[in-house]
Amino acid sequence: MSLPRNAKPSFSRRTLATQAMQAATEARAKVKLDQTSPICIYGLCEKLGVTVRFNNINMEGMYQRGTPPRIHLSARRPLPRRAYNCAHELGHHVFGHGSSIDELREDAKSHPWEDPKEFLADTFAGFILMPIIGLRRAFSIRGWAPETATPSQVFTIACDFGVGYATLVTHLSAGVNLISRSRASVLQRATPKALRTEILGALVPEPLIVADGRGAAPTLDAEVDMLLLLPLGTEVTGSGLSFERDLESGRLFRSVKPGIFQARANDWTVFVRIAPNGYVGLAQYRHLEEDSDE
């Protein structure tokens, strides 16, 4: 039974948040990752000895304690959500929790943060994917301030860190206190559909990733049939990205086949790793090119 909305939890969120932040810092340091750059959460899990698999299941994810420990993620969830869910399940592993199943958010209890284990895992996910130093750098290098950034600017930062727009807004407010609650409330009104329309100047149904050439990540993860807005003048190798059109804000591509493809513009280079839509299998094989003989 859930607590009344105005009831205080039986644990200190501040204390647990500090533990989560320290654990995230230690996890990055353990595999020699810096404390600022966006990371590939699946690569981190692999380095920590945790096997990650995508399954055609109707839930957020599952942590399976054992040898080796395993994380199961739903291939039905949006790409940024899968990354966050993976970080959440990794949090359960790092804190030594037992096996757990995380239901779909809309099906789960309305206040999951009332459970200290879920609060720890969620907070760990935020800090491991979006460290405060990295967020400050991401806004600063673009000449933006978190409190006054527009929804489309916040969306760009979210793409930089491989997370969802709403996830970043929540973390900026509740996790690292870089924006006020009132500003977060305003930003949360922007929907993915409205953001895509504003950025592209047209109504499109496909998911969009924006990379403006100022991000620190050497890779960019996508799925087949996603749209990618890359810097003006971007040239790509291979046949995985199909040119759509040039916009004032960048060059628009569509991902059309699995594999790893290089995109370059001036002194900016990124490797775009494209997985099949709704890929099922081990995370480490998600962007292997399809065999043309099959």
Side-chain angles (χ1 to χ4, degrees):
M1 185 171 118
S2 63
L3 295 170
R5 185 177 293 272
N6 59 354
K8 292 184 178 180
S10 59
F11 57 90
S12 169
R13 288 181 176 172
R14 183 184 296 273
T15 299
L16 292 188
T18 299
Q19 292 177 13
M21 181 173 63
Q22 291 173 342
T25 300
E26 291 168 3
R28 279 179 171 248
K30 186 174 182 178
V31 297
K32 296 180 171 55
L33 292 173
D34 65 43
Q35 301 297 330
T36 60
S37 302
I39 63 169
C40 171
I41 189 62
Y42 311 118
L44 174 60
C45 287
E46 185 177 354
K47 290 179 180 179
L48 293 175
V50 181
T51 299
V52 179
R53 182 179 180 86
F54 298 101
N55 299 290
N56 186 20
I57 49 178
N58 193 33
M59 64 180 180
E60 297 286 354
M62 179 178 79
Y63 170 62
Q64 183 180 359
R65 191 171 180 176
T67 307
R70 298 177 183 273
I71 290 173
H72 298 274
L73 301 170
S74 173
R76 302 181 185 181
R77 304 302 278 159
L79 196 64
R81 187 73 209 175
R82 277 174 250 167
Y84 186 83
N85 287 342
C86 185
H88 175 100
E89 302 304 335
L90 181 62
H92 284 307
H93 169 73
V94 167
F95 285 104
H97 299 163
S99 298
S100 64
I101 297 176
D102 288 290
E103 305 169 73
L104 290 174
R105 291 300 186 196
E106 52 266 33
D107 297 333
K109 54 187 176 182
S110 57
H111 305 293
W113 277 11
E114 290 169 2
D115 182 333
K117 290 183 179 180
E118 292 304 311
F119 179 82
L120 261 177
D122 246 14
T123 310
F124 172 87
F127 284 122
I128 197 73
L129 293 173
M130 301 167 281
I132 186 170
I133 299 175
L135 290 174
R136 284 175 173 160
R137 176 190 176 279
F139 280 99
S140 175
I141 201 171
R142 294 170 170 87
W144 303 339
E147 184 68 21
T148 57
T150 65
S152 61
Q153 289 171 343
V154 173
F155 180 80
T156 298
I157 301 294
C159 291
D160 199 4
F161 286 87
V163 299
Y165 172 81
T167 297
L168 175 58
V169 172
T170 298
H171 186 62
L172 287 172
S173 175
V176 293
N177 297 314
L178 290 182
I179 63 174
S180 63
R181 289 186 180 182
S182 59
R183 182 57 184 163
S185 179
V186 171
L187 290 171
Q188 292 284 19
R189 296 173 191 165
T191 65
K193 180 179 178 180
L195 286 166
R196 292 195 300 269
T197 302
E198 178 184 347
I199 293 169
L200 299 180
L203 182 62
V204 296
E206 298 91 345
L208 172 68
I209 297 174
V210 175
D212 62 0
R214 297 176 182 174
T219 59
L220 189 160
D221 276 15
E223 281 188 317
V224 169
D225 208 28
M226 293 184 76
L227 296 175
L228 293 86
L229 183 62
L230 306 181
L232 283 170
T234 294
E235 298 293 337
V236 299
T237 60
S239 55
L241 292 169
S242 174
F243 172 73
E244 291 276 305
R245 62 185 184 274
D246 277 329
L247 304 172
E248 186 176 336
S249 56
R251 177 164 285 187
L252 188 65
F253 292 86
R254 181 184 299 273
S255 52
V256 294
K257 63 176 290 189
I260 302 176
F261 308 94
Q262 187 183 67
R264 175 178 294 178
N266 299 319
D267 58 351
W268 174 80
T269 301
V270 72
F271 287 94
V272 182
R273 305 186 300 190
I274 304 173
N277 194 292
Y279 167 77
V280 172
L282 293 174
Q284 66 196 89
Y285 302 132
R286 67 192 181 282
H287 42 64
L288 292 183
E289 293 189 51
E290 294 177 334
D291 190 339
S292 59
D293 293 332
E294 291 184 353

